[in-house]
Amino acid sequence: MEEEDTRDYSEPCVQCSVVNWGLTDEGRFYCKSCHNVIERTKEVLTSDVVPNTKIQSISRGFRKRKKIDKGWEWYVCEGFQYILKKQAEALQTLGVCPQMKISDISTDVDSEPERISIHGLSSFSESDGDLQTESSFGHVSSIGNASARETTSICSGSVDGGSYLLKRKKGNLRMSMPMTLSFCYIALLWLREPVTLSDLLRFVIDGHIPYLNAFQYFPEEMKLYGVDLKIFRVESWPVYEDVHNKMSELAAFLDLPCFPAITDSCFLHPNILCIKYLMEANLPDELHNWTCRVVKKINVGETDFLTLDPVNKSARKVKYDVLAAAIIIVVLKLLFLLDDQYEWLNANFAGKRNQKNKEGCLWFDFKKWYKIMKKSVDVEQKKLDEERARCLWKCEKPLFYSAKEKSVVLKKRQMVVNLQRQFGALSGSMQVAEKQSPSSFQLNWTEENTDGNCFHGHILEGVLQEKGNSLTTMNTKYWLCTVKLCNEKQGGLA
């Protein structure tokens, strides 16, 4: 009887490519080779209304999340939605405005900027339409061609985990863990929050924003195994360039309007960002006048240049933090040349002058500044390396796939925790300090806590000279380290 009911269905199984179908007790088709269950059901003949009319139906159980031994039936897009929600909540805890979670995007460029939400955007899954609506699973139709997304895979906890990793066409976007950070950055840009992309990534690495093993925050009923781990588990930290590029692609794909303008009063404007980085780099306050002059000279402070416009394909996608850092480097090269000779000669002159004249403002000593900064940066880098070495890439939350396995897995996990605690006590290792709230500044320099090693109040005498009614640099050259290399390369080609 079973063979008669299944002989007309000749589509191969999407999991093992074998045509060997059987029927479950509920009348659903399953592959006898790999036991993969699909949504095709047994055809029933009825003569109640019209003789010999075939009626076929499929279950609407997917979106109802029927609870079974292996947990809820859930989709990959739902997992990413949950992660985005947690990331939005974490950013709100760090001080981002509550509008971060409003699911509404206004297309009116004159409206207030607080109308974008990563939670609202998170329904996006893939550009080729793999994200299905509820109605797409509930309609009555013939399903002679069962696709991968219509199967309940035994190789993953999610319904569509197996099909999600299939090869995509060039130019199509696929939701991924780095893409979640691109969503966050888009929302931060729209709201013009005082958070740069480098700040966002630092918060992620420090554990203030869910990213590493973020799936451990899933509800217990959302089982994760098999190919799901390839989708949600990360084995490396996010890369700045990758997240920024995905942000640009995502903004264009979503066809977002021009973002709120980046004006000279906005935190992301180079004039303001340069203040932050000059303070953090322990450089003289007078340098800000020169960074502003450079910004004005090369026209990188204009609103049209700084504002993100996804519609304009030719518009530059500005990296605000990188731009500000580059401006400071250009100013240092203008003043101190940085050819590994001029800056040291000037530092020797400034150091001798400061020893003779200890009253009044001190001249900026480049050599002393370099030594102090190198020591501080090395200490912070060592701390960062140690923290990364201690990072547990393995999920702390135990993963189990059935009620029978739960007690065994939890018992093993508790045994591991107890052993770690005992070995820690024997080795005398200190307990990891409680995570502190993040700061916008990684290095803080004040006269009170630096024992006179703060250079903010130092002046730029010795590198500036008066020319007419304005100050100009005593150095008249600009050393570009690539010039010599370019000449050698050209000579070699000749």
Side-chain angles (χ1 to χ4, degrees), residues 5-63:
D5 293 330
T6 60
R7 65 184 178 185
D8 293 331
Y9 187 67
S10 58
E11 292 296 326
C13 174
V14 296
Q15 294 293 338
C16 63
S17 301
V18 175
V19 181
N20 188 13
W21 298 104
L23 288 175
T24 65
D25 294 336
E26 294 80 15
R28 296 172 63 180
F29 280 52
Y30 76 97
C31 178
K32 293 182 178 180
S33 299
C34 65
H35 303 287
N36 184 37
V37 182
I38 66 174
E39 282 302 297
R40 184 179 177 87
T41 57
K42 176 182 175 182
E43 297 178 353
V44 181
L45 294 178
T46 179
S47 57
D48 292 344
V49 181
V50 181
N52 298 326
T53 299
K54 294 181 179 181
I55 299 178
Q56 296 173 324
S57 64
I58 63 175
S59 171
R60 296 177 61 95
F62 277 168
R63 308 303 291 178

Short mmCIF file of all heavy atoms in Angstrom, two decimals, residues 5-63:
data_model
loop_
_atom_site.label_atom_id
_atom_site.label_comp_id
_atom_site.label_asym_id
_atom_site.label_seq_id
_atom_site.Cartn_x
_atom_site.Cartn_y
_atom_site.Cartn_z
N ASP A 5 1.24 4.51 -2.82
CA ASP A 5 1.03 5.92 -2.48
C ASP A 5 2.23 6.78 -2.83
O ASP A 5 2.11 8.00 -3.00
CB ASP A 5 0.72 6.06 -0.99
CG ASP A 5 -0.62 5.45 -0.63
OD1 ASP A 5 -1.52 5.44 -1.49
OD2 ASP A 5 -0.75 4.99 0.53
N THR A 6 3.41 6.17 -2.91
CA THR A 6 4.63 6.97 -3.13
C THR A 6 5.23 6.79 -4.52
O THR A 6 6.18 7.49 -4.85
CB THR A 6 5.69 6.58 -2.09
OG1 THR A 6 6.01 5.19 -2.22
CG2 THR A 6 5.20 6.88 -0.69
N ARG A 7 4.71 5.87 -5.33
CA ARG A 7 5.36 5.58 -6.62
C ARG A 7 5.26 6.74 -7.60
O ARG A 7 6.10 6.88 -8.49
CB ARG A 7 4.75 4.33 -7.22
CG ARG A 7 3.28 4.46 -7.60
CD ARG A 7 2.71 3.14 -8.10
NE ARG A 7 1.29 3.26 -8.42
CZ ARG A 7 0.54 2.23 -8.79
NH1 ARG A 7 1.08 1.02 -8.87
NH2 ARG A 7 -0.75 2.41 -9.06
N ASP A 8 4.25 7.60 -7.45
CA ASP A 8 4.11 8.74 -8.37
C ASP A 8 5.04 9.90 -8.03
O ASP A 8 5.15 10.86 -8.79
CB ASP A 8 2.66 9.24 -8.37
CG ASP A 8 1.70 8.21 -8.96
OD1 ASP A 8 2.15 7.43 -9.82
OD2 ASP A 8 0.52 8.23 -8.54
N TYR A 9 5.69 9.82 -6.90
CA TYR A 9 6.59 10.91 -6.49
C TYR A 9 8.04 10.47 -6.75
O TYR A 9 8.57 9.60 -6.06
CB TYR A 9 6.39 11.24 -5.01
CG TYR A 9 7.16 12.45 -4.55
CD1 TYR A 9 6.84 13.72 -5.02
CD2 TYR A 9 8.22 12.33 -3.66
CE1 TYR A 9 7.54 14.83 -4.62
CE2 TYR A 9 8.93 13.43 -3.23
CZ TYR A 9 8.59 14.68 -3.72
OH TYR A 9 9.29 15.78 -3.31
N SER A 10 8.63 11.04 -7.77
CA SER A 10 9.96 10.58 -8.23
C SER A 10 11.06 11.60 -7.99
O SER A 10 12.16 11.46 -8.53
CB SER A 10 9.90 10.25 -9.73
OG SER A 10 9.49 11.39 -10.47
N GLU A 11 10.78 12.64 -7.18
CA GLU A 11 11.82 13.62 -6.90
C GLU A 11 12.86 13.04 -5.94
O GLU A 11 12.51 12.38 -4.97
CB GLU A 11 11.22 14.89 -6.28
CG GLU A 11 10.35 15.68 -7.22
CD GLU A 11 11.15 16.24 -8.39
OE1 GLU A 11 12.33 16.58 -8.18
OE2 GLU A 11 10.57 16.34 -9.49
N PRO A 12 14.16 13.26 -6.22
CA PRO A 12 15.19 12.74 -5.30
C PRO A 12 15.21 13.52 -3.98
O PRO A 12 14.82 14.67 -3.91
CB PRO A 12 16.49 12.96 -6.08
CG PRO A 12 16.20 14.10 -7.00
CD PRO A 12 14.75 13.96 -7.37
N CYS A 13 15.68 12.87 -2.95
CA CYS A 13 15.81 13.50 -1.64
C CYS A 13 16.86 14.60 -1.70
O CYS A 13 17.94 14.39 -2.29
CB CYS A 13 16.18 12.45 -0.58
SG CYS A 13 16.53 13.14 1.05
N VAL A 14 16.59 15.74 -1.10
CA VAL A 14 17.54 16.86 -1.14
C VAL A 14 18.75 16.61 -0.27
O VAL A 14 19.77 17.29 -0.39
CB VAL A 14 16.84 18.17 -0.71
CG1 VAL A 14 15.76 18.54 -1.69
CG2 VAL A 14 16.29 18.04 0.71
N GLN A 15 18.65 15.62 0.65
CA GLN A 15 19.76 15.34 1.55
C GLN A 15 20.72 14.30 0.97
O GLN A 15 21.93 14.47 1.04
CB GLN A 15 19.23 14.85 2.91
CG GLN A 15 18.46 15.89 3.68
CD GLN A 15 19.32 17.05 4.13
OE1 GLN A 15 20.52 16.93 4.25
NE2 GLN A 15 18.71 18.20 4.37
N CYS A 16 20.17 13.22 0.41
CA CYS A 16 21.04 12.13 -0.07
C CYS A 16 20.88 11.83 -1.55
O CYS A 16 21.55 10.94 -2.08
CB CYS A 16 20.77 10.86 0.74
SG CYS A 16 19.08 10.23 0.56
N SER A 17 19.95 12.55 -2.25
CA SER A 17 19.74 12.41 -3.70
C SER A 17 19.23 11.02 -4.10
O SER A 17 19.40 10.60 -5.24
CB SER A 17 21.03 12.74 -4.46
OG SER A 17 21.46 14.04 -4.19
N VAL A 18 18.64 10.30 -3.18
CA VAL A 18 18.10 8.97 -3.46
C VAL A 18 16.58 9.05 -3.56
O VAL A 18 15.93 9.78 -2.81
CB VAL A 18 18.50 7.97 -2.35
CG1 VAL A 18 17.84 6.61 -2.58
CG2 VAL A 18 20.02 7.83 -2.31
N VAL A 19 15.99 8.27 -4.51
CA VAL A 19 14.53 8.22 -4.65
C VAL A 19 14.05 6.94 -3.98
O VAL A 19 14.05 5.86 -4.58
CB VAL A 19 14.10 8.27 -6.12
CG1 VAL A 19 12.58 8.24 -6.24
CG2 VAL A 19 14.67 9.51 -6.80
N ASN A 20 13.70 7.06 -2.73
CA ASN A 20 13.25 5.89 -1.95
C ASN A 20 12.34 6.39 -0.84
O ASN A 20 12.75 6.54 0.30
CB ASN A 20 14.45 5.13 -1.38
CG ASN A 20 14.03 3.82 -0.74
OD1 ASN A 20 12.89 3.36 -0.91
ND2 ASN A 20 14.94 3.20 0.01
N TRP A 21 11.08 6.66 -1.18
CA TRP A 21 10.18 7.34 -0.27
C TRP A 21 9.27 6.37 0.49
O TRP A 21 8.86 5.33 -0.04
CB TRP A 21 9.30 8.36 -1.01
CG TRP A 21 10.09 9.45 -1.66
CD1 TRP A 21 10.38 9.58 -2.98
CD2 TRP A 21 10.72 10.53 -0.99
NE1 TRP A 21 11.14 10.69 -3.19
CE2 TRP A 21 11.37 11.30 -2.00
CE3 TRP A 21 10.81 10.93 0.33
CZ2 TRP A 21 12.08 12.44 -1.70
CZ3 TRP A 21 11.52 12.08 0.63
CH2 TRP A 21 12.14 12.82 -0.38
N GLY A 22 8.95 6.72 1.71
CA GLY A 22 7.99 6.00 2.53
C GLY A 22 7.04 6.96 3.19
O GLY A 22 7.15 8.19 3.03
N LEU A 23 6.07 6.43 3.93
CA LEU A 23 5.07 7.27 4.60
C LEU A 23 5.15 7.08 6.10
O LEU A 23 5.29 5.95 6.60
CB LEU A 23 3.65 6.91 4.12
CG LEU A 23 3.26 7.33 2.70
CD1 LEU A 23 1.88 6.79 2.38
CD2 LEU A 23 3.29 8.83 2.56
N THR A 24 5.08 8.22 6.83
CA THR A 24 5.02 8.15 8.28
C THR A 24 3.59 7.84 8.71
O THR A 24 2.67 7.77 7.89
CB THR A 24 5.46 9.48 8.91
OG1 THR A 24 4.51 10.49 8.54
CG2 THR A 24 6.84 9.89 8.42
N ASP A 25 3.40 7.63 10.02
CA ASP A 25 2.06 7.35 10.54
C ASP A 25 1.12 8.52 10.31
O ASP A 25 -0.11 8.34 10.25
CB ASP A 25 2.14 7.02 12.03
CG ASP A 25 2.90 5.73 12.29
OD1 ASP A 25 2.96 4.89 11.38
OD2 ASP A 25 3.43 5.58 13.41
N GLU A 26 1.70 9.74 10.22
CA GLU A 26 0.86 10.92 9.98
C GLU A 26 0.59 11.15 8.51
O GLU A 26 -0.08 12.11 8.13
CB GLU A 26 1.53 12.16 10.56
CG GLU A 26 1.66 12.17 12.08
CD GLU A 26 2.83 11.33 12.56
OE1 GLU A 26 3.70 11.00 11.70
OE2 GLU A 26 2.88 11.02 13.74
N GLY A 27 1.17 10.30 7.63
CA GLY A 27 0.93 10.45 6.21
C GLY A 27 1.92 11.34 5.51
O GLY A 27 1.70 11.72 4.36
N ARG A 28 3.03 11.68 6.16
CA ARG A 28 4.04 12.54 5.54
C ARG A 28 5.12 11.69 4.90
O ARG A 28 5.43 10.58 5.36
CB ARG A 28 4.65 13.46 6.59
CG ARG A 28 3.65 14.45 7.17
CD ARG A 28 4.23 15.22 8.33
NE ARG A 28 5.35 16.06 7.93
CZ ARG A 28 6.03 16.83 8.78
NH1 ARG A 28 5.70 16.85 10.06
NH2 ARG A 28 7.03 17.56 8.35
N PHE A 29 5.70 12.21 3.81
CA PHE A 29 6.73 11.50 3.08
C PHE A 29 8.05 11.60 3.83
O PHE A 29 8.40 12.66 4.36
CB PHE A 29 6.90 12.08 1.68
CG PHE A 29 5.85 11.62 0.70
CD1 PHE A 29 4.49 11.73 0.99
CD2 PHE A 29 6.22 11.09 -0.52
CE1 PHE A 29 3.53 11.32 0.09
CE2 PHE A 29 5.26 10.66 -1.43
CZ PHE A 29 3.91 10.78 -1.13
N TYR A 30 8.82 10.48 3.84
CA TYR A 30 10.17 10.52 4.40
C TYR A 30 11.07 9.63 3.56
O TYR A 30 10.63 8.68 2.91
CB TYR A 30 10.17 10.06 5.87
CG TYR A 30 10.03 8.55 6.05
CD1 TYR A 30 11.16 7.75 6.23
CD2 TYR A 30 8.79 7.95 6.03
CE1 TYR A 30 11.04 6.37 6.40
CE2 TYR A 30 8.66 6.58 6.19
CZ TYR A 30 9.78 5.79 6.38
OH TYR A 30 9.68 4.45 6.53
N CYS A 31 12.36 9.98 3.55
CA CYS A 31 13.34 9.22 2.78
C CYS A 31 13.78 8.00 3.59
O CYS A 31 14.23 8.13 4.73
CB CYS A 31 14.55 10.10 2.45
SG CYS A 31 15.86 9.22 1.54
N LYS A 32 13.64 6.81 3.01
CA LYS A 32 14.01 5.59 3.71
C LYS A 32 15.53 5.44 3.86
O LYS A 32 15.99 4.68 4.71
CB LYS A 32 13.45 4.37 2.98
CG LYS A 32 11.94 4.26 2.99
CD LYS A 32 11.48 3.00 2.28
CE LYS A 32 9.96 2.85 2.31
NZ LYS A 32 9.51 1.62 1.62
N SER A 33 16.29 6.19 3.05
CA SER A 33 17.75 6.08 3.11
C SER A 33 18.34 6.90 4.24
O SER A 33 19.20 6.42 4.99
CB SER A 33 18.36 6.51 1.76
OG SER A 33 17.90 5.68 0.72
N CYS A 34 17.90 8.18 4.34
CA CYS A 34 18.48 9.06 5.36
C CYS A 34 17.45 9.52 6.40
O CYS A 34 17.78 10.31 7.29
CB CYS A 34 19.12 10.29 4.72
SG CYS A 34 17.96 11.39 3.88
N HIS A 35 16.19 9.06 6.24
CA HIS A 35 15.11 9.38 7.20
C HIS A 35 14.78 10.87 7.24
O HIS A 35 14.36 11.40 8.24
CB HIS A 35 15.47 8.90 8.61
CG HIS A 35 15.77 7.44 8.68
ND1 HIS A 35 14.80 6.48 8.59
CD2 HIS A 35 16.97 6.80 8.80
CE1 HIS A 35 15.36 5.28 8.67
NE2 HIS A 35 16.68 5.44 8.79
N ASN A 36 15.00 11.56 6.13
CA ASN A 36 14.66 12.98 6.03
C ASN A 36 13.17 13.12 5.77
O ASN A 36 12.63 12.51 4.84
CB ASN A 36 15.47 13.61 4.91
CG ASN A 36 15.24 15.10 4.82
OD1 ASN A 36 15.08 15.75 5.83
ND2 ASN A 36 15.19 15.62 3.61
N VAL A 37 12.46 13.89 6.59
CA VAL A 37 11.01 14.06 6.48
C VAL A 37 10.72 15.36 5.74
O VAL A 37 11.28 16.41 6.07
CB VAL A 37 10.34 14.08 7.86
CG1 VAL A 37 8.83 14.22 7.72
CG2 VAL A 37 10.69 12.81 8.63
N ILE A 38 9.85 15.31 4.73
CA ILE A 38 9.48 16.51 3.99
C ILE A 38 8.01 16.81 4.25
O ILE A 38 7.30 16.05 4.92
CB ILE A 38 9.75 16.35 2.48
CG1 ILE A 38 8.85 15.27 1.88
CG2 ILE A 38 11.22 16.04 2.23
CD1 ILE A 38 8.96 15.15 0.38
N GLU A 39 7.56 17.92 3.67
CA GLU A 39 6.19 18.37 3.94
C GLU A 39 5.17 17.82 2.96
O GLU A 39 4.00 18.18 3.03
CB GLU A 39 6.16 19.90 3.94
CG GLU A 39 6.67 20.53 5.20
CD GLU A 39 5.89 20.05 6.41
OE1 GLU A 39 4.68 20.31 6.48
OE2 GLU A 39 6.49 19.39 7.27
N ARG A 40 5.59 16.98 2.04
CA ARG A 40 4.60 16.36 1.15
C ARG A 40 3.79 15.34 1.93
O ARG A 40 4.32 14.60 2.76
CB ARG A 40 5.31 15.69 -0.03
CG ARG A 40 4.33 15.10 -1.06
CD ARG A 40 5.08 14.47 -2.23
NE ARG A 40 4.15 13.85 -3.16
CZ ARG A 40 3.55 14.48 -4.17
NH1 ARG A 40 3.82 15.77 -4.36
NH2 ARG A 40 2.73 13.86 -4.97
N THR A 41 2.51 15.30 1.67
CA THR A 41 1.62 14.37 2.37
C THR A 41 0.95 13.43 1.39
O THR A 41 0.97 13.63 0.17
CB THR A 41 0.54 15.15 3.14
OG1 THR A 41 -0.20 15.98 2.22
CG2 THR A 41 1.16 16.03 4.22
N LYS A 42 0.37 12.40 1.95
CA LYS A 42 -0.32 11.38 1.16
C LYS A 42 -1.52 11.99 0.43
O LYS A 42 -2.29 12.75 1.00
CB LYS A 42 -0.78 10.25 2.09
CG LYS A 42 -1.61 9.17 1.41
CD LYS A 42 -2.05 8.14 2.44
CE LYS A 42 -2.98 7.10 1.81
NZ LYS A 42 -3.45 6.12 2.82
N GLU A 43 -1.65 11.64 -0.86
CA GLU A 43 -2.79 12.11 -1.65
C GLU A 43 -4.03 11.32 -1.26
O GLU A 43 -3.99 10.09 -1.13
CB GLU A 43 -2.52 11.95 -3.14
CG GLU A 43 -1.34 12.81 -3.63
CD GLU A 43 -1.07 12.60 -5.10
OE1 GLU A 43 -1.71 11.70 -5.68
OE2 GLU A 43 -0.24 13.33 -5.66
N VAL A 44 -5.14 12.04 -1.06
CA VAL A 44 -6.38 11.42 -0.61
C VAL A 44 -7.45 11.61 -1.67
O VAL A 44 -7.63 12.71 -2.20
CB VAL A 44 -6.87 12.04 0.73
CG1 VAL A 44 -8.14 11.35 1.18
CG2 VAL A 44 -5.78 11.91 1.77
N LEU A 45 -8.15 10.53 -2.01
CA LEU A 45 -9.25 10.60 -2.96
C LEU A 45 -10.56 10.82 -2.20
O LEU A 45 -10.83 10.16 -1.19
CB LEU A 45 -9.34 9.30 -3.77
CG LEU A 45 -8.16 9.02 -4.73
CD1 LEU A 45 -8.38 7.68 -5.41
CD2 LEU A 45 -8.01 10.13 -5.73
N THR A 46 -11.34 11.73 -2.66
CA THR A 46 -12.62 12.01 -2.02
C THR A 46 -13.69 12.22 -3.08
O THR A 46 -13.41 12.70 -4.17
CB THR A 46 -12.53 13.27 -1.14
OG1 THR A 46 -13.81 13.50 -0.57
CG2 THR A 46 -12.10 14.49 -1.92
N SER A 47 -14.90 11.85 -2.77
CA SER A 47 -16.02 12.02 -3.72
C SER A 47 -17.16 12.79 -3.07
O SER A 47 -18.29 12.72 -3.50
CB SER A 47 -16.53 10.65 -4.19
OG SER A 47 -16.92 9.87 -3.08
N ASP A 48 -16.86 13.52 -1.99
CA ASP A 48 -17.91 14.26 -1.30
C ASP A 48 -18.49 15.36 -2.17
O ASP A 48 -19.68 15.63 -2.14
CB ASP A 48 -17.35 14.86 -0.01
CG ASP A 48 -17.02 13.77 1.00
OD1 ASP A 48 -17.50 12.64 0.81
OD2 ASP A 48 -16.27 14.07 1.96
N VAL A 49 -17.65 16.04 -2.92
CA VAL A 49 -18.13 17.15 -3.73
C VAL A 49 -18.01 16.83 -5.20
O VAL A 49 -18.98 16.80 -5.94
CB VAL A 49 -17.35 18.43 -3.41
CG1 VAL A 49 -17.87 19.59 -4.23
CG2 VAL A 49 -17.48 18.74 -1.92
N VAL A 50 -16.79 16.61 -5.64
CA VAL A 50 -16.54 16.30 -7.05
C VAL A 50 -15.82 14.97 -7.11
O VAL A 50 -14.79 14.80 -6.46
CB VAL A 50 -15.69 17.40 -7.71
CG1 VAL A 50 -15.47 17.07 -9.19
CG2 VAL A 50 -16.40 18.73 -7.57
N PRO A 51 -16.30 14.00 -7.85
CA PRO A 51 -15.66 12.67 -7.91
C PRO A 51 -14.22 12.77 -8.44
O PRO A 51 -13.93 13.58 -9.33
CB PRO A 51 -16.56 11.90 -8.89
CG PRO A 51 -17.87 12.60 -8.84
CD PRO A 51 -17.57 14.04 -8.60
N ASN A 52 -13.37 11.92 -7.90
CA ASN A 52 -11.99 11.77 -8.34
C ASN A 52 -11.16 13.04 -8.21
O ASN A 52 -10.16 13.21 -8.91
CB ASN A 52 -11.92 11.29 -9.79
CG ASN A 52 -12.56 9.92 -9.96
OD1 ASN A 52 -12.47 9.10 -9.05
ND2 ASN A 52 -13.20 9.70 -11.10
N THR A 53 -11.56 13.96 -7.34
CA THR A 53 -10.78 15.16 -7.11
C THR A 53 -9.72 14.87 -6.06
O THR A 53 -10.02 14.35 -5.00
CB THR A 53 -11.66 16.32 -6.63
OG1 THR A 53 -12.62 16.61 -7.62
CG2 THR A 53 -10.81 17.56 -6.36
N LYS A 54 -8.45 15.18 -6.40
CA LYS A 54 -7.35 14.95 -5.48
C LYS A 54 -7.13 16.18 -4.60
O LYS A 54 -7.05 17.29 -5.09
CB LYS A 54 -6.05 14.65 -6.24
CG LYS A 54 -6.11 13.34 -7.01
CD LYS A 54 -4.79 13.07 -7.72
CE LYS A 54 -4.83 11.76 -8.46
NZ LYS A 54 -3.53 11.48 -9.14
N ILE A 55 -7.05 15.96 -3.28
CA ILE A 55 -6.83 17.06 -2.35
C ILE A 55 -5.49 16.86 -1.67
O ILE A 55 -5.19 15.78 -1.16
CB ILE A 55 -7.94 17.11 -1.28
CG1 ILE A 55 -9.29 17.33 -1.95
CG2 ILE A 55 -7.64 18.19 -0.25
CD1 ILE A 55 -10.44 17.34 -0.98
N GLN A 56 -4.67 17.88 -1.71
CA GLN A 56 -3.36 17.83 -1.07
C GLN A 56 -3.25 19.02 -0.13
O GLN A 56 -3.75 20.09 -0.41
CB GLN A 56 -2.23 17.91 -2.11
CG GLN A 56 -2.22 16.71 -3.05
CD GLN A 56 -1.22 16.90 -4.15
OE1 GLN A 56 -1.04 18.01 -4.63
NE2 GLN A 56 -0.58 15.82 -4.55
N SER A 57 -2.58 18.84 0.97
CA SER A 57 -2.37 19.94 1.92
C SER A 57 -1.04 19.74 2.61
O SER A 57 -0.50 18.63 2.65
CB SER A 57 -3.50 19.99 2.96
OG SER A 57 -3.47 18.81 3.73
N ILE A 58 -0.53 20.80 3.16
CA ILE A 58 0.71 20.73 3.93
C ILE A 58 0.48 21.34 5.30
O ILE A 58 -0.45 22.10 5.51
CB ILE A 58 1.86 21.47 3.21
CG1 ILE A 58 1.53 22.95 3.09
CG2 ILE A 58 2.14 20.87 1.86
CD1 ILE A 58 2.67 23.75 2.49
N SER A 59 1.31 20.93 6.21
CA SER A 59 1.14 21.38 7.59
C SER A 59 1.53 22.83 7.73
O SER A 59 2.44 23.31 7.08
CB SER A 59 2.02 20.52 8.50
OG SER A 59 2.05 21.05 9.79
N ARG A 60 0.85 23.54 8.64
CA ARG A 60 1.19 24.92 8.97
C ARG A 60 1.98 24.96 10.29
O ARG A 60 2.06 26.00 10.93
CB ARG A 60 -0.06 25.77 9.11
CG ARG A 60 -0.85 25.91 7.84
CD ARG A 60 -2.11 26.71 8.11
NE ARG A 60 -1.83 28.04 8.56
CZ ARG A 60 -1.76 29.11 7.79
NH1 ARG A 60 -1.95 28.98 6.50
NH2 ARG A 60 -1.51 30.30 8.29
N GLY A 61 2.56 23.87 10.64
CA GLY A 61 3.18 23.76 11.95
C GLY A 61 4.50 24.49 12.10
O GLY A 61 4.96 24.72 13.20
N PHE A 62 5.20 24.85 10.98
CA PHE A 62 6.50 25.49 11.06
C PHE A 62 6.47 26.75 11.91
O PHE A 62 7.23 26.91 12.83
CB PHE A 62 7.00 25.85 9.66
CG PHE A 62 7.66 24.71 8.96
CD1 PHE A 62 7.96 24.78 7.60
CD2 PHE A 62 8.00 23.55 9.65
CE1 PHE A 62 8.58 23.74 6.97
CE2 PHE A 62 8.62 22.51 9.01
CZ PHE A 62 8.90 22.59 7.67
N ARG A 63 5.57 27.66 11.57
CA ARG A 63 5.58 28.96 12.22
C ARG A 63 4.92 28.92 13.59
O ARG A 63 4.98 29.90 14.32
CB ARG A 63 4.88 30.00 11.34
CG ARG A 63 5.41 30.05 9.93
CD ARG A 63 6.88 30.33 9.91
NE ARG A 63 7.18 31.68 10.33
CZ ARG A 63 8.40 32.17 10.43
NH1 ARG A 63 9.44 31.40 10.17
NH2 ARG A 63 8.60 33.40 10.82
#
